[in-house]
């Protein structure tokens, strides 16, 4: 059978990583296409692939990914069988629609967002993606939602606990600690607009069989994790809570993100002044401006942080449950290094952890292992094939269980 | 002789105070005219005058004060003999030009600024206002620069020390403490654009016979002042340093402004992120925006703070010098109350202290006491008439000298 062409949509830091991983695993695929609103950014990624000596066929394209017909046409033109959507969170539904029409597999790494809305009613997936389940099944395509690290790998970590540790799951606490340093006075690790939008709305968690609402930075907890040590993480809203809560209805599902005092201070000032608002304000001169877009404009481009980024990330799931009535817990995690990521693919660790997993998912689709012809979230699929492949691809899984701290 | 008509340009919080003071001292003047870019704001001030029962003739006008011909025409039309300019700091030179052409006296309360420049070379007055000295003298009009509180009353405080305490002045330290509370998370007491522009550039002070340069918040000193107690104030750039240094060449002239930690933190975040810049940035969508104008747009309108403002301000001059070779010091100061100011004229204390003095200057011009037919700064005129009148008008002066703390 002919190898499948792959199309990456987006050309930011995560797309850079995904492209390099596709190139490293070129034997699994046919040609690589990269499409972006600004074609020059896709060209820059292709240049960086060539610098690393990769030789598979690369082609860049300009694409308005908000237009399903344009997506459909590009899939047709490139004969892509798998689409990895790592563009802005605003394009999911139009790219998915293009895949449905053109019959290509769809993979993304973050939930769809409407630019005009922040933090909609839970579960978030039910507002957009899950409404297309029937259409995806009818079209006979595979759609894997949220296949980055978090969401994505952490969903597989929960599924691993289900598959191999417990017959009843009581809680899934996902903890995301970035102990790295970018050396700037302040910067966000990915698109500031998306980054801040995560924290300005209600923090939803699934506890006691219902949605709980908190404010950002309202609930903090100190964690003591491998490599990064003691860190305070805060109950935060995140995509994976909105799918894991459907599979593990009787468990508490929470997401904790680590923040330093400096980040919290800057965030608090911007938030309290109204500068993180997505609603336009009018200047004294009558110009209509969205404050958040101005904040984004003055902050460092996240992609520019990579060369100087040092330190490590630790992201994992603490899963508590019981097996045959006996209670236990397991911590499933990965540690990634910013400098190593930059040396390997020219991006920092946050982009690395987000950009590798969708390529693993693409390989599993290409191989047929995950080509399930329907729409799923990552925890709906067996975890071992995904985690095993990720280990080979640079994101090894470790486990702390009753036997100690060991590789999966 | 017919009483002189008076024209107030501007319709912000300071203009509100000046208008009420003119109305309270209506016997000194002919008609009151208020002109502003947006006429509705001038109308609102006139409404507030009528609510207080004032009955002198009031007229509002729309005016583009950046256009000298328009200013000249309005002076002609209103037959105004005295113009109080309490509009934005960008209109000084066009309003002054209008006064020169039309033969009206000119009073302002803050130095001219070019919107495109921050913190020009010292002395600031030499960049714009003082260049027109000859033209003002030739036209035979009176122009009193910087006749607010600081600059203005604090310049008169220094002159008082010269007139009544010392034959040699060694230092003039002006200290401005606002110990009031507006109850908002964050707000500036006057136009945020002007407020922040004061602090983003070089801090100039006159020490040891030369200009010294510091950064904002680099040099702090704890002061223990009447009523407001112990407060930290920071060496800051301010207009009056740029005129007092010309009269008191051999003295150190410094300006200290009190800031709480919260203000400094917010300022530091905004400044370090680049959000206080007057240079346009381009958003991802290609819109050109001046960050500082967006910050202004999200902050509370300073005029809106007045109803809830409580607490007091203390502003004064610590002057050190010697008389017949004997060293000494005197602290000349005023304490104002935010709530009292609001009850009396519908503005908070910062606007009150800035808006009363130019009306005192206007009365002194109307009476002939200060109608000196040339351009001066406040310290160039005898201090007693001004400070005495201000005492009657609601801004009493107190003095701490060898005999203790007593009214002037």
């Amino acid at each position: 059978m002919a190898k499948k062409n792959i199309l990456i949509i987006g050309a930011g830091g995560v797309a850079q990583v995904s492209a390099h991983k596709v190139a490293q695993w070129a034997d699994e695929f046919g040609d690589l296409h990269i499409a972006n609103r600004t074609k020059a950014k896709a060209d820059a990624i292709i240049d960086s692939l060539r610098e690393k000596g990769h030789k598979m066929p690369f082609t860049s394209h300009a694409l308005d990914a908000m237009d399903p017909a344009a997506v459909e046409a590009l899939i047709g033109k490139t004969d892509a069988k798998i689409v990895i959507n790592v563009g802005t969170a605003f394009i999911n539904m139009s790219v998915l629609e293009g895949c449905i029409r053109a019959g290509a597999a769809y993979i993304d790494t973050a939930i769809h967002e409407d630019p005009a809305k922040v933090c909609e009613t839970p579960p978030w997936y039910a507002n957009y993606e899950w409404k297309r389940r029937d259409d995806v099944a009818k079209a006979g395509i595979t759609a894997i939602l949220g296949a980055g690290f978090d969401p994505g790998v952490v969903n597989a970590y929960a599924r691993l606990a289900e598959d191999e540790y417990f017959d009843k799951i009581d809680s899934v606490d996902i903890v995301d600690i970035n102990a790295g340093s970018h050396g700037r006075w302040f910067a966000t690790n990915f698109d500031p607009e998306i980054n801040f939008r995560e924290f300005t709305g209600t923090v939803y968690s699934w506890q006691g069989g219902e949605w709980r609402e908190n404010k950002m930075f309202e609930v903090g907890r100190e964690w003591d994790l491998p490599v990064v040590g003691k860190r305070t993480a805060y109950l935060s809203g995140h995509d994976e809570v909105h799918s894991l809560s459907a599979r593990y209805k009787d468990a508490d599902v929470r997401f904790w993100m680590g923040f330093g005092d400096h980040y919290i201070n800057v965030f608090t000032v911007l938030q309290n002044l109204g500068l993180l608002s997505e609603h336009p304000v009018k200047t004294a001169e009558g110009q209509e401006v969205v404050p958040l877009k101005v904040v984004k404009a003055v902050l460092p481009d996240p992609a520019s942080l990579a060369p100087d980024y040092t330190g490590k990330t630790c992201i994992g799931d603490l899963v508590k449950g019981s097996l045959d009535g006996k209670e236990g817990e397991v911590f499933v995690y990965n540690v990634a290094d910013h400098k190593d990521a930059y040396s390997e693919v020219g991006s920092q660790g946050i982009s690395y952890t987000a950009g590798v997993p969708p390529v693993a998912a693409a390989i599993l689709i290409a191989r047929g292992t995950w080509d399930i012809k329907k729409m799923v979230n990552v925890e709906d699929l067996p975890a071992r094939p995904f985690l095993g492949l990720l280990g080979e691809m640079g994101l090894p899984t470790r486990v702390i269980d009753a036997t100690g701290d060991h590789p999966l």
Side-chain angles (χ1 to χ4, degrees), chain A:
Chain A
M1 202 175 76
K3 289 191 173 162
K4 290 175 171 173
N5 291 348
I6 184 161
L7 168 62
I8 293 174
I9 296 179
V14 177
Q16 162 100 5
V17 174
S18 297
H20 276 262
K21 280 294 160 186
V22 167
Q24 289 175 14
W25 291 72
D27 287 352
E28 305 278 345
F29 303 105
D31 302 346
L32 170 60
H33 297 270
I34 306 176
N36 193 51
R37 185 170 51 181
T38 309
K39 184 171 166 288
K41 292 183 75 179
D43 290 333
I45 291 178
I46 288 177
D47 289 346
S48 79
L49 293 169
R50 296 222 164 91
E51 275 169 34
K52 290 281 183 189
H54 296 301
K55 288 187 172 35
M56 72 187 287
F58 312 121
T59 314
S60 63
H61 306 269
L63 173 67
D64 173 9
M66 301 287 276
D67 176 6
V71 175
E72 178 188 6
L74 184 61
I75 294 171
K77 182 179 153 194
T78 58
D79 193 30
K81 301 298 186 204
I82 302 171
V83 174
I84 293 180
N85 167 21
V86 281
T88 156
F90 307 140
I91 65 173
N92 287 15
M93 299 320 291
S94 49
V95 172
L96 178 60
E97 174 65 23
C99 289
I100 290 170
R101 293 186 197 169
Y106 172 86
I107 302 167
D108 67 31
T109 66
I111 210 153
H112 183 75
E113 294 188 43
D114 181 324
K117 298 178 184 172
V118 162
C119 202
E120 305 183 58
T121 42
W124 293 340
Y125 285 105
N127 296 322
Y128 299 101
E129 285 86 348
W130 289 351
K131 288 182 175 164
R132 306 304 309 274
R133 274 176 175 160
D134 288 350
D135 299 319
V136 164
K138 206 175 297 169
I141 66 161
T142 295
I144 301 180
L145 304 178
F149 205 99
D150 42 340
V153 178
V154 298
N155 303 50
Y157 287 169
R159 175 65 186 258
L160 183 79
E162 177 195 338
D163 289 348
E164 305 188 8
Y165 284 87
F166 305 120
D167 53 22
K168 178 171 170 288
I169 291 186
D170 295 327
S171 63
V172 180
D173 283 289
I174 302 153
V175 191
D176 180 334
I177 302 290
N178 174 16
S181 168
H182 48 58
R184 306 295 183 91
W185 191 79
F186 183 84
T188 55
N189 292 305
F190 54 102
D191 184 347
E193 201 175 345
I194 305 298
N195 181 267
F196 287 129
R197 283 170 63 101
E198 277 191 4
F199 311 133
T200 48
T202 304
V203 169
Y204 289 107
S205 60
W206 180 259
Q207 299 188 75
E210 61 181 23
W211 291 105
R212 296 277 181 86
E213 300 187 13
N214 289 95
K215 286 214 168 73
M216 194 61 210
F217 303 120
E218 184 186 336
V219 184
R221 185 188 290 183
E222 195 184 61
W223 297 82
D224 191 357
L225 301 187
V227 183
V228 300
K230 285 191 179 170
R231 301 275 170 173
T232 303
Y234 296 83
L235 196 63
S236 309
H238 229 242
D239 307 2
E240 50 270 47
V241 175
H242 297 257
S243 66
L244 289 169
S245 57
R247 188 172 183 90
Y248 306 112
K249 286 189 182 62
D250 300 326
D252 292 339
V253 182
R254 292 170 287 242
F255 182 88
W256 304 85
M257 187 165 274
F259 293 93
D261 291 343
H262 178 61
Y263 184 102
I264 296 174
N265 180 46
V266 171
F267 174 87
T268 303
V269 167
L270 294 176
Q271 166 84 330
N272 282 351
L273 294 185
L275 286 166
L276 300 184
S277 172
E278 78 283 8
H279 299 298
V281 296
K282 196 180 267 191
T283 68
E285 292 73 20
Q287 191 183 17
E288 295 248 354
V289 187
V290 174
L292 181 53
K293 292 188 181 296
V294 180
V295 170
K296 174 175 171 172
V298 299
L299 288 181
D301 177 355
S304 74
L305 305 175
D308 304 318
Y309 225 124
T310 56
K312 295 182 192 294
T313 63
C314 177
I315 314 176
D317 292 23
L318 177 65
V319 184
K320 296 186 182 182
S322 55
L323 181 62
D324 299 330
K326 191 178 170 236
E327 292 192 346
E329 66 177 60
V330 57
F331 185 64
V332 191
Y333 71 101
N334 166 264
V335 170
D337 183 274
H338 289 290
K339 219 177 170 63
D340 291 351
Y342 184 68
S343 309
E344 186 192 326
V345 299
S347 289
Q348 32 87 338
I350 310 285
S351 300
Y352 191 87
T353 55
V356 175
V359 180
I363 291 172
L364 293 177
I365 291 172
R367 291 178 182 172
T369 321
W370 268 16
D371 196 13
I372 33 75
K373 311 291 184 196
K374 59 181 178 177
M375 175 184 283
V376 293
N377 291 80
V378 170
E379 65 271 27
D380 298 322
L381 301 170
R384 275 276 174 179
F386 189 47
L387 298 181
L389 180 54
L390 283 168
E392 297 174 54
M393 294 178 74
L395 288 177
T397 300
R398 293 185 65 88
V399 177
I400 302 176
D401 58 16
T403 70
D405 184 343
H406 57 86
L408 179 69

